[in-house]
Amino acid sequence: MGSFNLRTISIAVVIALIVGTGAGYMVGNSPVSSLLEEKDGLEAEYDSLYLDHQSIEAELDSTQELLVTLETTVEELRTENEEFEVEVSALIEFYEVLVSNLKNERDLLETQLEVIPIYISTIETLENEINELNSQLDVLSEYTQITSTRTITIDLIGTCTRVIDGDTFELSSGKRVRLADIDAPESYESGYYTSTIALSSWIQGETVYLDIDDIYQTDIYGRYVCVVYAENGSGYANVNYALLADGYAVSDDYPNEFDPGDWGVPGNLDISEASQDISSPEPEPEPEPEPEPEPSMTYVGSINSDKYHYPSCYWAKQIYPSNEIWFTSKADAESHGYVPCKVCKP
């Protein structure tokens, strides 16, 4: 609007001059030419000012847009700053807690550091006491070895003339011996031959020293139940224990006076009251052949047992002829109180 008023004023001045001086005055008059030149200058200045105004308007618009962008950026930065402040606050709180925990751990470690030397001293004291106790135990062990040797009373001395299996053998008198509290494989089981050979290596043809069970003396088959000793170097070996230790038999603690747990303890044999198992000097007459059982007598048992067997059973063949009892049927055997053998299962 300012530029428009200036143009209007300029035109009004020119008209006034023309009207006031007359037409003749205008033609070739120097003031009029000056005024026209001034008008042209003013118009040129107006155009320049108008262009400047337009440029300023454009710059103002650009500046306003930049201002809006800056305000948006400032707002975003303010928001980010608030979030950052929250993160910084959380980090500060976290590290304050961490520092507090570390201080507590430091205090605990300082306490432990104070206690550890006491523990070390206590341990050293205990170590010295243990060493002293070990020394005392060594002395006691030597004393125990000297004083705890058992005395084993031998009841019978004889000679082994036949090994039947890994836990049974026969003396020269014909009496059979069952090694107490061990079980070796039977003839139909794996390991029978190796266990039999192992027992033979100890006693076959050798003098044997028998500690006979004081409670029962014999088993249901009339065999002596014994712990057997054999000469071994300058001393004696517990054959029952040797077979167990070498894996040729397994332990089976039957009711008797013996405790296999004692077999590893050294012992001295007392043979002062032992009897001698000596064969009769006179040859025994050949026994009359036993009559073959009647065909109807199909099962056999022992008067010292409650089992009945097929005649071909291993255990039937171990029964002394004088102890045999024959049955015509299962019912006959069971009526006499006998039960079937678990091996041959008649």
Side-chain angles (χ1 to χ4, degrees):
M1 289 295 295
S3 298
F4 179 77
N5 290 336
L6 182 60
R7 181 186 289 270
T8 303
I9 292 170
S10 298
I11 294 172
V13 170
V14 172
I15 293 172
L17 288 173
I18 294 172
V19 173
T21 58
Y25 183 77
M26 291 175 61
V27 179
N29 196 302
S30 175
V32 172
S33 299
S34 177
L35 286 171
L36 291 172
E37 290 176 358
E38 184 177 353
K39 176 181 79 70
D40 291 338
L42 289 171
E43 287 178 347
E45 184 179 356
Y46 169 81
D47 292 337
S48 176
L49 289 173
Y50 182 77
L51 292 174
D52 290 342
H53 173 265
Q54 291 294 103
S55 176
I56 289 171
E57 285 285 342
E59 186 174 354
L60 178 60
D61 292 340
S62 175
T63 302
Q64 287 178 339
E65 290 177 359
L66 180 61
L67 178 61
V68 171
T69 302
L70 288 173
E71 288 176 348
T72 302
T73 303
V74 168
E75 187 64 28
E76 291 175 353
L77 290 173
R78 182 179 293 110
T79 302
E80 291 179 359
N81 182 60
E82 290 175 354
E83 295 175 352
F84 179 73
E85 287 180 352
V86 171
E87 293 179 359
V88 169
S89 298
L91 285 173
I92 291 172
E93 183 177 355
F94 170 76
Y95 282 107
E96 286 177 348
V97 173
L98 180 62
V99 168
S100 176
N101 292 337
L102 289 174
K103 286 181 179 179
N104 292 335
E105 291 182 7
R106 180 201 61 193
D107 295 340
L108 178 60
L109 287 172
E110 288 177 352
T111 303
Q112 292 176 344
L113 287 172
E114 293 175 357
V115 173
I116 284 173
I118 299 173
Y119 285 163
I120 292 174
S121 177
T122 303
I123 290 171
E124 289 175 348
T125 302
L126 289 172
E127 186 177 4
N128 292 332
E129 291 178 358
I130 289 170
N131 290 334
E132 184 178 350
L133 287 172
N134 284 334
S135 298
Q136 294 175 359
L137 285 173
D138 290 340
V139 173
L140 286 173
S141 178
E142 292 177 1
Y143 176 77
T144 301
Q145 289 179 2
I146 294 171
T147 59
S148 67
T149 301
R150 298 179 302 138
T151 298
I152 301 163
T153 302
I154 298 301
D155 301 300
L156 184 66
I157 301 173
T159 301
C160 171
T161 55
R162 177 190 173 201
V163 173
I164 297 171
D165 58 24
D167 55 32
T168 306
F169 64 93
E170 195 171 276
L171 298 171
S172 59
S173 64
K175 296 176 181 176
R176 292 192 177 184
V177 176
R178 175 65 164 81
L179 277 68
D181 291 341
I182 69 169
D183 270 326
E186 304 297 344
S187 60
Y188 50 87
E189 295 178 323
S190 174
Y192 165 77
Y193 292 105
T194 54
S195 64
T196 302
I197 292 170
L199 180 57
S200 298
S201 68
W202 278 106
I203 63 172
Q204 179 65 48
E206 303 291 338
T207 301
V208 289
Y209 301 83
L210 309 182
D211 180 7
I212 301 174
D213 176 31
D214 291 337
I215 299 177
Y216 298 105
Q217 292 192 335
T218 61
D219 63 9
I220 59 174
Y221 300 108
R223 301 173 298 185
Y224 286 132
V225 176
C226 302
V227 174
V228 179
Y229 295 87
E231 294 178 3
N232 183 35
S234 60
Y236 299 91
N238 181 328
V239 178
N240 302 48
Y241 184 61
L243 293 173
L244 282 178
D246 292 338
Y248 294 112
V250 296
S251 178
D252 197 345
D253 194 5
Y254 292 102
N256 52 48
E257 69 162 306
F258 304 115
D259 181 3
D262 293 337
W263 290 351
V265 179
N268 291 324
L269 299 190
D270 178 5
I271 62 174
S272 60
E273 298 182 3
S275 301
Q276 295 290 329
D277 179 72
I278 302 174
S279 304
S280 173
E282 295 295 330
E284 294 183 3
E286 288 294 326
E288 293 292 330
E290 292 289 332
E292 291 294 326
E294 296 295 330
S296 60
M297 307 292 280
T298 55
Y299 301 102
V300 64
S302 170
I303 60 174
N304 295 316
S305 170
D306 62 349
K307 303 288 191 305
Y308 66 91
H309 317 263
Y310 285 123
S312 59
C313 176
Y314 170 80
W315 293 112
K317 295 178 181 180
Q318 307 303 311
I319 302 171
Y320 285 109
S322 59
N323 292 333
E324 289 177 353
I325 179 171
W326 289 84
F327 307 103
T328 58
S329 65
K330 294 181 181 180
D332 182 24
E334 291 171 3
S335 68
H336 287 79
Y338 285 75
V339 296
C341 169
K342 292 183 179 180
V343 176
C344 64
K345 298 177 182 178

